Amino acid sequence: MSEANIEGSTSTTPPARREPEHFRRVMTSWVVISIVGIVLWVLLAPLILPQAASNLGSADDFTLVIFTALAIPVAAFVFVFLAYSLIFFRTKDRPTEDAIPLKPRPGIQIGWLGITGVLCLFLFIWGMIAYYQETSAAPNSNTLVVQVTAQQWQWTFNYPQFGATSQGAQVIELPLNRPVQFVITSKDVLHGFAIRALGVRVDANPGEMTSTPIVTPTVMGKYTVNCVELCGLLHSYMWESVNVVDQSTFNSWIASQGGHP
Ligand SMILES: [Cu+2]
């Protein structure tokens, strides 16, 4: 009883109506969870994400970090409201009376549409700029061309600039810091050509050529090319090595494939 009049003696509301300030509690939890979530994500992302090994791969990872950071408050908003309602508005028995009718609150509706609209527009503009930056470069004489053929269930790679006469390599070998473009087709069904570390991914279509943007490998190492379209029984085995090596290793590899560097 002693706490009945915290607000001061001038209050005209009856004491029984004192409800906790739900909205302020929810918003405070939302802000705290969002900030903690964003900080954790930005700190942990470099440890969680696989290594990016090209200019495009690094740009893609940056986009991923920014978009996820923006999505955290949006997701937290929904889940905080849900969790708060489940905990604080729980009733054991069937409710015997109707809830208070909801009245339209134009400010909330306009705010929600406005904020999510601006967020979507930001993602769209970001995407368009990134797409332009990644695809606008034209190949030149220094661009290495790798022809990729997909079939159930293997990849073959050809290096037409080096006159390799073999049936095609079973792995991708790339010299460090040299721009490369992959030109892709399929012998049978739809496959998906993707090298996550290099930030390239494009469909492999039968009877058609598709190409990736020009990409420059920036970190030596061993990566993988995967098929990313469900293409039949052994789809999950359809992956090969991608080796980014120095120029002399690349030259001797080309020679070992029957080509002349
Ligand atoms: Cu496939």
Side-chain angles (χ1 to χ4, degrees):
M1 282 298 124
S2 59
E3 77 219 349
N5 224 351
I6 306 170
E7 303 282 15
S9 53
T10 56
S11 171
T12 53
T13 38
R17 290 282 303 142
R18 280 194 322 107
E19 283 263 308
E21 291 178 295
H22 295 300
F23 189 70
R24 205 175 72 182
R25 279 200 206 164
V26 168
M27 295 312 273
T28 310
S29 318
W30 171 62
V31 169
V32 170
I33 289 172
S34 297
I35 291 173
V36 170
I38 290 173
V39 169
L40 275 180
W41 164 245
V42 171
L43 291 178
L44 293 180
L47 308 175
I48 297 169
L49 295 176
Q51 185 180 29
S54 78
N55 56 337
L56 300 189
S58 307
D60 285 0
D61 280 0
F62 182 59
T63 296
L64 184 65
V65 169
I66 298 293
F67 279 24
T68 306
L70 288 174
I72 286 170
V74 178
F77 191 74
V78 174
F79 287 118
V80 165
F81 263 93
L82 178 67
Y84 190 91
S85 306
L86 286 175
I87 295 166
F88 290 98
F89 301 126
R90 189 175 46 174
T91 167
K92 273 187 188 159
D93 312 308
R94 268 179 169 284
T96 51
E97 54 188 278
D98 283 346
I100 307 162
L102 291 174
K103 291 183 205 121
R105 302 269 298 274
I108 290 180
Q109 289 159 339
I110 291 168
W112 178 252
L113 288 176
I115 292 169
T116 50
V118 167
L119 268 175
C120 287
L121 200 63
F122 173 80
L123 304 189
F124 173 73
I125 292 170
W126 180 294
M128 292 308 284
I129 292 174
Y131 180 77
Y132 176 76
Q133 283 175 341
E134 295 193 0
T135 57
S136 56
N140 60 35
S141 57
N142 188 39
T143 309
L144 174 67
V145 175
V146 179
Q147 289 174 344
V148 179
T149 308
Q151 69 193 86
Q152 289 169 318
W153 288 276
Q154 68 174 32
W155 298 103
T156 6
F157 310 105
N158 268 293
Y159 289 70
Q161 289 150 318
F162 299 101
T165 54
S166 67
Q167 297 301 303
Q170 300 303 304
V171 298
I172 298 178
E173 203 89 354
L174 297 173
L176 185 69
N177 291 329
R178 171 143 182 211
V180 53
Q181 184 169 39
F182 298 93
V183 181
I184 295 124
T185 192
S186 166
K187 279 187 180 171
D188 38 42
V189 299
L190 189 73
H191 299 270
F193 174 82
I195 307 173
R196 202 267 167 208
L198 300 189
V200 293
R201 170 188 285 236
V202 71
D203 280 355
N205 303 321
E208 205 177 296
M209 292 284 188
T210 47
S211 58
T212 63
I214 295 166
V215 55
T216 307
T218 51
V219 185
M220 286 215 268
K222 193 171 161 68
Y223 311 102
T224 49
V225 48
N226 291 85
C227 181
V228 288
E229 293 285 353
L230 186 56
C231 59
L233 192 61
L234 301 183
H235 159 73
S236 57
Y237 291 91
M238 201 169 155
W239 59 272
E240 291 297 344
S241 296
V242 179
N243 302 312
V244 177
V245 297
D246 60 49
Q247 186 65 47
S248 64
T249 310
F250 177 73
N251 289 347
S252 45
W253 180 79
I254 281 291
S256 77
Q257 298 295 308
H260 22 80

